Amino acid sequence: MDGQDANERRRKLTKTLKPSWVFAIALGSSVGWGAFILPGDWIGESGPLAAMIGLLIGAVIMMVIASSYGVMIKKFPVSGGGFTYAFIAAGKKWAFICGWFLSLGYISIVALNASAFSLLLKFLAPGFMKQFYLYSVAGWDVYLPEVLISSAILIIFAWINTTGTSVSGRIQFYFSVLLIAGVVLLGVFTFNVAESPLENMKPLFSGNQSMIVSILVILAIAPWAYVGFDNVPQAAEEFDFSPRKATVLIVLSLFTSFLIYAIMIGLTAWTFPKMSEVSGNLWLTGDVVGSALGLGGLIIMAIAIIMGIFTGLNGFYMSASRLLFSMARARALPDMFRTITKKNQIPVWGIWFVALITLPMPWFGRQALSWIVDMSSTGVSVAYFFTCFAAYKVLAWKAETAGREIAPLKKFLALVGMIASAAFLLLLLVPFSPAALSAPSYILLVIWGAVGGGFYGVIRKRYNSLEQEETEYYVLGKTIESEVENNDVPEDFDSKNVSFTN
């Protein structure tokens, strides 16, 4: 491979993201609409303390998996995330499979966040939003205002992302600050107005099942609750700081996400007596805040919810477009997806493609969209597994393993992460598990897999036309052997062009 020619053809993204912005990307992508509407359901299913413990254990498991993400970001600070790490761990075919399902996951979450904004308005201004009834899909009534508003939000955030990473990153940080501030204010105010907050939280565990089962029911949703921290490796190529800081930023974002979940569960339970016995009310948390703090509390809560929605939209637009960009560099997608703007070095076609794909989704209703999101969550679990697998491969137990970083603790955590990721995947796929996919989600999973198989058949010749060394160069910026021989990340990542032998 001609090094100079390859340099000209390999597109790179500009390093503009600050550490605080990356923290905001992980946090804002992890905490969304569910943190504000689901505490009532979690309390009804498991009890407030069981819900907190389950989410805490889930956060710790995600931190274990995040350790492997930190290892891979440090060694390979490029876009691609799970796609890139699956390539390192298992080769091209598994990389394509991981990228195929992961891309749908990211794209569908963009659409889900846009519909969540319309859903919020549906509750705040039902008279306006429930006009011009169109039809029903799976029991969900679709109205014209929600479709138009969701579409407008999708276009606005697509445009924001095309203005440059420095703009979208800064906005993400400001939105995240407002989100955290809103949750803290709600927690402090409700705790202060409650006469006996700790007594009000009883029963701490659901009386319908054992304490262990109560915790496991909530633990099963941890991959969904914290999905979004894996957006960080998608932005790794754009860090303007050392990739070594990535692990700390991800872990800090996960801990902050847990605190937000815990506060929202807490205030739902501790504000009034016996409130923890109420279940099935979508707006139980809203009812609690409105009754305790009045209109002012509802305004604070509405702002926090909107910030959670907007940070999710912004974060997943960024990660989806970077994933498509990385796959295109590997020739797994058409060349248009690796096109970047001259001014801001943004993968603009990936951003507008996400917008184009998501714009029809609001027309299908939120219930049908939730089937797609649930189905595509398998892609996230697969990405977790391959990230941990890749970290396990590039780390060494002992000094005898030449050329690899000797890190037995990180290697052990990678092994634990592999087991946890496989367990999360089984929870989704095995019937009768607490997090098993619904029948429509299973059907959509099979359909999407079949479409992916057909698409792979079309692009296989082009995808496999590159030699192993060339693919490594386009995906990683250098070959794996050069990375093994040089554990420190080079300043000029594209300067490496070392022959590969295996």
Side-chain angles (χ1 to χ4, degrees):
M1 179 175 60
D2 189 303
Q4 184 177 358
D5 183 49
N7 274 325
E8 290 174 354
R9 286 181 289 154
R10 187 180 188 276
R11 317 288 170 82
K12 296 188 298 179
L13 302 178
T14 304
K15 300 181 183 299
T16 55
L17 287 175
K18 301 180 184 299
S20 59
W21 300 356
V22 173
F23 166 80
I25 289 171
L27 173 67
S29 301
S30 300
V31 177
W33 171 259
F36 300 91
I37 66 167
L38 293 180
D41 293 337
W42 295 336
I43 291 170
E45 292 173 0
S46 299
L49 185 57
M52 292 182 186
I53 293 174
L55 287 170
L56 176 59
I57 296 174
V60 171
I61 294 175
M62 292 299 107
M63 290 175 188
V64 170
I65 295 173
S67 170
S68 293
Y69 275 98
V71 169
M72 298 310 296
I73 291 171
K74 173 188 170 185
K75 298 182 78 66
F76 303 101
V78 293
S79 298
F83 168 77
T84 300
Y85 307 148
F87 168 71
I88 294 171
K92 285 186 176 183
K93 288 184 180 179
W94 280 108
F96 176 83
I97 293 172
C98 184
W100 181 256
F101 283 96
L102 194 58
S103 61
L104 179 66
Y106 288 164
I107 290 171
S108 61
I109 294 176
V110 170
L112 189 69
N113 275 285
S115 70
F117 183 72
S118 292
L119 184 59
L120 174 63
L121 295 181
K122 215 172 187 178
F123 284 98
L124 295 178
F128 171 74
M129 295 298 293
K130 293 185 177 181
Q131 298 183 83
F132 306 106
Y133 169 81
L134 299 176
Y135 44 77
S136 294
V137 179
W140 184 270
D141 294 334
V142 180
Y143 296 88
L144 185 59
E146 66 179 288
V147 172
L148 295 179
I149 290 173
S150 296
S151 300
I153 290 294
L154 289 169
I155 294 172
I156 289 171
F157 274 90
W159 174 79
I160 288 174
N161 273 263
T162 61
T163 59
T165 308
S166 59
V167 175
S168 58
R170 186 177 289 107
I171 289 175
Q172 186 81 357
F173 175 72
Y174 293 148
F175 285 169
S176 296
V177 169
L178 288 174
L179 169 63
I180 295 171
V183 170
V184 170
L185 288 174
L186 291 173
V188 171
F189 288 159
T190 54
F191 195 86
N192 286 336
V193 301
E195 293 184 1
S196 303
L198 298 182
E199 189 67 25
N200 291 344
M201 292 182 69
K202 296 179 179 178
L204 300 176
F205 298 90
S206 174
N208 302 324
Q209 56 203 8
S210 69
M211 179 179 68
I212 299 298
V213 172
S214 296
I215 293 173
L216 289 177
V217 167
I218 303 300
L219 177 60
I221 67 166
W224 172 85
Y226 295 109
V227 64
F229 78 86
D230 54 310
N231 287 350
V232 172
Q234 299 296 348
E237 193 165 323
E238 298 165 87
F239 290 178
D240 75 346
F241 55 92
S242 171
R244 298 174 188 273
K245 297 180 180 179
T247 302
V248 174
L249 293 173
I250 296 175
V251 169
L252 184 59
S253 72
L254 285 168
F255 183 69
T256 307
S257 299
F258 162 72
L259 291 180
I260 290 175
Y261 281 118
I263 290 173
M264 296 311 301
I265 293 169
L267 70 86
T268 305
W270 69 44
T271 308
F272 296 110
K274 304 297 182 182
M275 191 59 69
S276 61
E277 296 179 357
V278 182
S279 63
N281 184 348
L282 181 64
W283 271 102
L284 176 58
T285 304
D287 290 342
V288 169
V289 171
S291 299
L293 305 178
L295 180 60
L298 287 176
I299 291 174
I300 294 175
M301 184 174 179
I303 292 173
I305 293 174
I306 292 172
M307 293 302 101
I309 293 170
F310 284 179
T311 52
L313 269 166
N314 195 50
F316 281 100
Y317 251 121
M318 180 183 297
S319 60
S321 60
R322 272 53 175 183
L323 173 60
L324 297 176
F325 171 74
S326 179
M327 292 179 71
R329 280 198 302 204
R331 307 305 189 261
L333 291 176
D335 290 340
M336 61 177 285
F337 291 106
R338 61 190 179 101
T339 301
I340 55 178
T341 58
K342 292 182 179 180
K343 181 179 179 181
N344 297 316
Q345 303 294 295
I346 297 296
V348 63
W349 284 111
I351 294 169
W352 286 116
F353 176 79
V354 173
L356 183 65
I357 291 296
T358 53
L359 279 172
M361 290 187 182
W363 294 88
F364 293 99
R366 187 173 173 85
Q367 182 59 49
L369 182 56
S370 68
W371 295 337
I372 299 175
V373 174
D374 292 343
M375 173 271 288
S376 61
S377 61
T378 57
V380 177
S381 297
V382 170
Y384 290 166
F385 176 83
F386 277 115
T387 300
C388 295
F389 186 19
Y392 185 85
K393 289 186 68 174
V394 303
L395 296 173
W397 291 112
K398 300 178 181 179
E400 287 77 8
T401 308
R404 301 188 183 275
E405 180 184 352
I406 303 164
L409 177 58
K410 291 180 182 179
K411 194 173 179 75
F412 173 75
L413 292 178
L415 180 61
V416 173
M418 290 168 60
I419 296 171
S421 302
F424 286 138
L425 189 61
L426 289 175
L427 283 171
L428 290 168
L429 298 179
V430 174
F432 311 113
S433 82
L437 296 176
S438 63
S441 295
Y442 274 117
I443 294 172
L444 288 170
L445 181 64
V446 173
I447 292 174
W448 185 247
V451 173
F455 183 78
Y456 183 79
V458 173
I459 60 97
R460 181 178 60 181
K461 184 176 181 180
R462 179 175 185 268
Y463 185 41
N464 294 326
S465 65
L466 297 179
E467 298 291 335
Q468 175 75 6
E469 177 190 348
E470 290 181 296
T471 304
E472 289 174 5
Y473 183 79
Y474 286 125
V475 174
L476 307 175
K478 57 180 176 180
T479 63
I480 292 177
E481 184 177 87
S482 68
E483 170 58 29
V484 170
E485 293 174 353
N486 301 280
N487 285 319
D488 292 330
V489 177
E491 194 68 30
D492 182 5
F493 204 58
D494 268 344
S495 66
K496 296 292 182 181
N497 185 18
V498 183
S499 62
F500 180 87
T501 57
N502 188 5

